[in-house]
Amino acid sequence: MPHYFFNTSNGSAHIDDAGMTLPDIDAARREAVRYGGSLLVDDPDMAMQDSGLRIDVIDSTGKRCFAVCVVIER
Amino acid sequence: MAITTAQGRAIGGSPKKSTSSANLTCVNVSRRLTAHHAHMTGAYSVTFGGILNRLLSPAERVIWEASLARNAREYAKGTDIAREGERPAALRIVLSGWAQKYKQLPDGRRQILALVLPGQPCDLDLFTVMRTDHSLSAVRRLTIAEIGRQEAGSLLRQCPNLAQLLCWSEIATAAIQREWTINIGQRNAIERVAQLMCEIFARQHGIPASGGGECDFLLTQWQLADATGLTQVHVNRTVQELRRRSSVELRNLRLFIPDFAELAGIAAFNANYLHLDETDLAVDRAAAMFGKTERE
């Protein structure tokens, strides 16, 4: 099963050095959204800092697969 | 599979219906009585050990600990000891290692409900319920006494103070369960993980008067996520943040807390629910309620 890393930038920067093994890319998308949700529950201001919360999902080869972003638009 | 008891007598087979998995390690370990003795006399599980020493008479303690040693079984890491829906088969007391109580939803999402540390009973549903409502598994290698219904009944008759001891343990377990509820319902990620670390430390060594210390911490970050209702990635992030803020380290199954008061502050941890200082009080209260049974 593939391994993915979930790095956050903007809102609250963090490099994920452990990652998570998941069945496929769809599971990684759900995990990223859930992780973002969990971060925002604790600290809603993350969506307002810098240019919003951004979670980049990286696979084990270092390739960026996708990003989940939460931004507030005026 | 043939396994050998302390007396050298070969006994066969998988000893319990509830543990049918083929790779299960389950042997009689009564020869290790001395090691367990140390645990049962309170070195590890602060409250229960203290209560045990005060509540059981010396004669009762001999009977109780002989029963624990006789019924000690070993389980490999991750093995299910009991599964939700089964008929309760034994009164179980953890002797070394940790057990986890858990429930799982049909799609595999899992919640760790509680951790049972050495010296503590797992479940007192043996005489009450038809089907157990949660599962129990070994966090890592585990030694646990599994006392069958008949022997447990006989122990309760032979050791009149044992019922009070088990009653106390249920009260303490329920108090911890309430704390876990507020943990998952109200605390944020860093408070949850910090709270669990404080609790695990205090249950092993009490509250340090100053500074901090280290203790066993057998959970993987995956299990820590299942216990705190966080995603694994969030737990990893949170553990790193605790390292940065309070120099807390999780390494080689040990937890290092340099400054307990600081971590307790981050967690909004209040040890009252562990009732650590109440051994004498609890014993007096039990004596008042149940009448004095000879203890010395």
Side-chain angles (χ1 to χ4, degrees):
Chain A
M1 287 204 294
H3 200 79
Y4 298 98
F5 298 87
F6 299 79
N7 297 336
T8 58
S9 53
N10 297 335
S12 175
H14 170 76
I15 303 298
D16 174 19
D17 61 2
M20 197 169 171
T21 301
L22 291 160
D24 51 35
I25 190 82
D26 287 335
R29 279 193 200 99
R30 283 192 291 273
E31 189 58 36
V33 173
R34 213 175 273 143
Y35 173 43
S38 167
L39 290 171
L40 289 168
V41 165
D42 280 4
D43 183 8
D45 287 349
M46 270 186 197
M48 290 166 245
Q49 288 156 10
D50 307 322
S51 45
L53 171 66
R54 181 187 175 97
I55 301 168
D56 284 296
V57 178
I58 316 290
D59 70 13
S60 49
T61 67
K63 182 171 79 76
R64 193 178 73 84
C65 304
F66 61 88
V68 171
C69 301
V70 178
V71 294
I72 293 178
E73 287 185 348
R74 287 161 143 327
Chain B
M1 175 174 82
I3 49 184
T4 307
T5 65
Q7 292 76 35
R9 180 168 46 91
I11 55 172
S14 176
K16 294 188 59 54
K17 266 191 217 140
S18 64
T19 52
S20 49
S21 89
N23 59 355
L24 158 72
T25 317
C26 187
V27 293
N28 188 304
V29 285
S30 56
R31 61 192 170 276
R32 293 187 200 155
L33 173 63
T34 346
H36 300 322
H37 235 260
H39 286 309
M40 288 311 301
T41 47
Y44 199 122
S45 174
V46 176
T47 309
F48 196 74
I51 300 280
L52 178 87
N53 287 337
R54 282 290 313 275
L55 216 44
L56 295 187
S57 71
E60 286 176 324
R61 235 173 321 178
V62 169
I63 296 170
W64 169 241
E65 287 174 359
S67 174
L68 293 181
R70 193 166 51 244
N71 292 290
R73 305 275 183 273
E74 276 188 16
Y75 287 92
K77 176 172 85 174
T79 314
D80 272 336
I81 299 157
R83 293 200 182 96
E84 185 175 355
E86 289 174 350
R87 185 175 163 78
L91 169 63
R92 296 188 174 87
I93 319 288
V94 171
L95 299 176
S96 71
W98 294 4
Q100 59 180 13
K101 297 183 190 178
Y102 72 92
K103 278 183 109 132
Q104 194 159 322
L105 295 174
D107 67 0
R109 280 173 290 167
R110 174 186 279 217
Q111 178 71 42
I112 295 177
L113 305 166
L115 295 168
V116 193
L117 272 48
Q120 295 175 335
C122 295
D123 32 43
L124 298 184
D125 51 8
L126 183 61
F127 300 106
T128 51
V129 304
M130 286 304 294
R131 294 185 184 285
T132 184
D133 53 41
H134 60 274
S135 301
L136 184 72
S137 70
V139 173
R140 298 188 66 85
R141 188 185 176 86
L142 174 75
T143 307
I144 188 166
E146 298 188 304
I147 303 171
R149 190 181 299 260
Q150 210 176 349
E151 182 168 346
S154 144
L155 274 175
L156 285 165
R157 282 189 297 277
Q158 287 180 73
C159 307
N161 291 306
L162 184 57
Q164 294 169 37
L165 178 71
L166 296 177
C167 182
W168 167 262
S169 143
E170 276 302 272
I171 291 165
T173 301
I176 291 172
Q177 206 76 71
R178 286 190 286 274
E179 192 66 26
W180 281 44
T181 303
I182 191 170
N183 213 21
I184 287 167
Q186 299 300 328
R187 281 190 172 93
N188 66 30
I190 194 154
E191 290 169 341
R192 281 184 212 187
V193 174
Q195 192 278 339
L196 189 59
M197 288 172 167
C198 287
E199 176 185 306
I200 293 297
F201 185 94
R203 284 168 67 183
Q204 291 177 53
H205 302 304
I207 310 292
S210 64
E214 55 179 282
C215 67
D216 287 347
F217 196 93
L218 306 188
L219 300 183
T220 61
Q221 291 208 0
W222 182 294
Q223 290 163 323
L224 195 48
D226 284 348
T228 52
L230 297 167
T231 73
Q232 272 184 75
V233 176
H234 204 169
V235 162
N236 178 43
R237 177 195 184 103
T238 305
V239 168
Q240 285 183 28
E241 192 173 342
L242 285 170
R243 184 183 305 146
R244 191 174 52 73
R245 278 176 62 177
S246 193
S247 306
V248 170
E249 293 281 348
L250 282 176
R251 204 176 337 110
N252 302 327
L253 306 178
R254 300 283 290 171
L255 165 65
F256 301 83
I257 304 177
D259 184 342
F260 189 89
E262 183 179 64
L263 188 64
I266 293 170
F269 176 78
N270 180 333
N272 286 353
Y273 73 98
L274 293 174
H275 304 283
L276 293 170
D277 306 324
E278 294 183 33
T279 304
D280 293 346
L281 268 176
V283 171
D284 292 345
R285 248 185 259 131
M289 281 178 68
F290 297 97
K292 221 168 172 65
T293 311
E294 179 108 9
R295 290 199 182 89
E296 298 308 327

